Amino acid sequence: MGISQQFIEAIETGDIETVQSLIETLLLSSEPDAQYEIANMLIQAGYLKEAEQVLEHLQFIFPEEAQLKIDRAQVLMEIDEEDEALLLLTSIEEHADEYPQALLSLADYYQMQGFYETAEQKINLALSLLPSEPVLIFAKAELLLETGKFLEAVRLYENLKEQTDEIAGVRLSERLAEVYSSGAAYEDAIPYYDESLLHHVTPDLLFGLAYSAFQAGEYDLAVRKLNEVKTLDPDYFSAHLLLSQAYSMLEDNDQAYSAIIEGLSRDEYDKELYLFAGKMALKLGRTKDAEEHLRQAIVLDPEYMEATLTLVSFLHAQERNEEVIELVELISLNQDDWSALYPFAADAFMQEENFERAYEFYSLAYTDHKEDPIFMEKYLYFLLEEGKREEALEIGKQLVHLQPNEERWQDLIESLL
């Protein structure tokens, strides 16, 4: 049995001791070409430290071989030996054929570290040497995508797609779909998702298409694709919420509620599912179920503002003032400044004839709600009831500004004056 086959068997069985033993034999008796082949095999199998051992030996034999420096540097970066990797890459001479490849490896390193400007400089330098090299153009497009420069990235991906369908293991139709979707150009993303799905179908691609369709207002298409996602992967949790939302946009509330309940049966710890289930139950008049769903969302995350606001609004509509007060007081104890709840608390305290606390919450709510005519009107009449005429006058003046066509506010101000 040849040494390559021995390595294959040891790697497949995860026999690290045999791999180490074979490396010793390899370095003592095999030719450099065989050693290089085994090093690549080890890299592919994830045996990076063992691959580094072989590449270090080869570099000792061929100290000026640029390709070895690049290969070894890439492995060193993977095992967190960046300093030595950078020394190897920066030692490659500018006149070497491998210099653009070294620049690309440096760009990869700086991109991973978040130094995007430096990474782009390295890629641009490589492109100045090889302006038509697809791998370099693709690398720049990937960097632009990561930094949110979607229009520039699209231009490069489109140019590449005219030459090839796939590069560096990435199908360009998929990447373009992703870029257009990331840039909120959802209608442009849809045909690229369709093209990608002609080659292979995955839950991620189907969901990407469904999400773009939903954002583009094509809710029927979104529903069809999301049901395909569920068929392929019933536990693709994101599909359940989006499917329910799509049915809701189609005003099919029964289907929307059924979809969200199915999602909860598969993921009972997703607060967003409980919130949307609560909203759909409210639409269907299933108030008991709605309250249960909303309270469960808050149990999962006591700081879930949207769920708390929805529940407080529901309790307020049902005139369950004591429960509104209890919820708001609990949040106040935790020192959470949720001003969206204060108008409900003010009204609840007023209904319970606790006017001192009502005044306190109206005052707290004023800062964030002074542009809301409905709140300001309630506040005005509360102040009048409490005999706070000067404060009521100021609120009345603001209402004139908010609703200049409402003659009653001007009349009220004149009567107060």
Side-chain angles (χ1 to χ4, degrees):
M1 181 188 299
I3 194 165
S4 294
Q5 187 60 39
Q6 293 178 58
F7 267 105
I8 291 171
E9 290 187 4
I11 289 170
E12 287 178 349
T13 58
D15 188 346
I16 186 65
E17 291 183 2
T18 299
V19 170
Q20 286 287 359
S21 175
L22 288 169
I23 287 175
E24 293 177 11
T25 303
L26 176 76
L27 299 184
L28 288 173
S29 60
S30 297
E31 293 295 319
D33 286 348
Q35 294 174 9
Y36 187 70
E37 181 184 336
I38 296 297
N40 283 316
M41 183 190 301
L42 291 167
I43 291 169
Q44 293 297 321
Y47 286 76
L48 299 180
K49 290 184 178 179
E50 291 74 18
E52 151 62 6
Q53 189 178 346
V54 179
L55 291 172
E56 183 182 22
H57 172 77
L58 285 169
Q59 194 189 350
F60 177 78
I61 299 173
F62 305 104
E64 301 304 320
E65 178 58 50
Q67 188 61 53
L68 280 175
K69 291 181 180 181
I70 293 170
D71 292 341
R72 189 175 171 220
Q74 290 173 340
V75 172
L76 287 168
M77 286 181 188
E78 291 291 333
I79 59 176
D80 298 324
E81 297 287 347
E82 290 93 348
D83 291 342
E84 190 173 353
L86 291 175
L87 286 173
L88 287 170
L89 292 172
T90 54
S91 70
I92 296 173
E93 301 289 341
E94 293 184 16
H95 59 76
D97 291 340
E98 293 84 1
Y99 184 60
Q101 189 181 349
L103 289 170
L104 182 57
S105 294
L106 284 168
D108 286 341
Y109 167 75
Y110 288 118
Q111 186 172 343
M112 286 189 295
Q113 300 301 315
F115 301 126
Y116 298 114
E117 288 187 12
T118 306
E120 188 169 356
Q121 289 171 5
K122 298 299 181 185
I123 294 175
N124 286 339
L125 180 54
L127 280 167
S128 70
L129 301 171
L130 297 172
S132 301
E133 174 53 51
V135 172
L136 295 177
I137 297 171
F138 180 73
K140 183 168 183 177
E142 294 284 279
L143 177 61
L144 292 170
L145 171 59
E146 187 171 340
T147 53
K149 298 176 181 178
F150 301 120
L151 288 176
E152 297 175 62
V154 161
R155 178 179 59 82
L156 294 179
Y157 287 125
E158 292 278 16
N159 290 340
L160 283 171
K161 195 173 184 304
E162 292 176 4
Q163 305 170 42
T164 180
D165 291 328
E166 187 174 314
I167 187 168
V170 175
R171 185 163 289 280
L172 290 170
S173 58
E174 290 184 31
R175 190 62 93 234
L176 279 162
E178 177 187 348
V179 180
Y180 276 120
S181 180
S182 298
Y186 301 109
E187 291 183 1
D188 293 320
I190 290 172
Y192 285 109
Y193 276 117
D194 284 330
E195 181 181 340
S196 301
L197 287 164
L198 292 175
H199 295 279
H200 67 140
V201 178
T202 68
D204 287 340
L205 279 175
L206 286 169
F207 182 81
L209 173 54
Y211 181 81
S212 292
F214 180 88
Q215 295 297 335
E218 297 187 31
Y219 304 117
D220 285 314
L221 175 60
V223 164
R224 290 199 306 273
K225 296 305 171 183
L226 289 165
N227 279 315
E228 290 180 37
V229 173
K230 286 169 49 186
T231 300
L232 280 179
D233 183 0
D235 290 325
Y236 199 101
F237 299 132
S238 302
H240 296 282
L241 176 57
L242 189 61
L243 178 60
S244 181
Q245 291 170 333
Y247 277 127
S248 175
M249 296 304 293
L250 291 169
E251 299 184 0
D252 191 343
N253 294 330
D254 288 316
Q255 282 280 38
Y257 188 61
S258 296
I260 208 71
I261 293 301
E262 182 184 349
L264 284 170
S265 71
R266 294 191 170 277
D267 184 5
E268 59 186 25
Y269 300 105
D270 189 329
K271 64 182 184 180
E272 292 186 12
L273 293 179
Y274 281 107
L275 171 62
F276 200 72
K279 290 180 176 180
M280 293 313 306
L282 284 174
K283 279 189 174 184
L284 293 168
R286 304 177 62 156
T287 55
K288 184 177 180 181
D289 292 328
E291 183 176 348
E292 183 180 339
H293 295 319
L294 293 170
R295 289 189 183 278
Q296 186 59 44
I298 296 168
V299 167
L300 290 170
D301 181 1
E303 297 183 0
Y304 195 10
M305 179 60 188
E306 190 177 356
T308 301
L309 181 58
T310 305
L311 178 59
V312 168
S313 177
F314 163 70
L315 296 173
H316 177 262
Q318 291 201 324
E319 298 184 355
R320 292 159 63 178
N321 297 311
E322 291 183 1
E323 293 177 69
V324 170
I325 291 169
E326 182 183 355
L327 265 174
V328 177
E329 294 281 30
L330 180 62
I331 291 166
S332 299
L333 283 175
N334 294 329
Q335 298 181 336
D336 290 318
D337 183 18
W338 288 0
S339 62
L341 300 178
Y342 295 158
F344 296 108
D347 193 58
F349 276 117
M350 186 180 70
Q351 297 297 331
E352 293 296 304
E353 299 185 356
N354 187 339
F355 302 117
E356 183 178 345
R357 290 288 278 160
Y359 179 60
E360 178 184 340
F361 274 98
Y362 269 122
S363 300
L364 287 170
Y366 170 76
T367 301
D368 288 337
H369 297 271
K370 58 187 175 185
E371 302 297 326
D372 180 358
I374 296 174
F375 167 76
M376 294 291 280
E377 181 177 346
K378 289 183 178 180
Y379 191 15
L380 171 65
Y381 286 118
F382 171 79
L383 291 171
L384 290 172
E385 288 288 329
E386 290 299 292
K388 300 180 184 294
R389 294 172 61 84
E390 290 185 8
E391 292 180 56
L393 177 60
E394 292 304 313
I395 299 300
K397 290 177 180 178
Q398 292 182 55
L399 276 166
V400 169
H401 175 71
L402 290 172
Q403 296 180 320
N405 296 325
E406 284 281 352
E407 294 182 4
R408 57 184 171 139
W409 302 135
Q410 190 62 50
D411 294 340
L412 181 65
I413 289 173
E414 290 175 4
S415 68
L416 288 170
L417 290 171

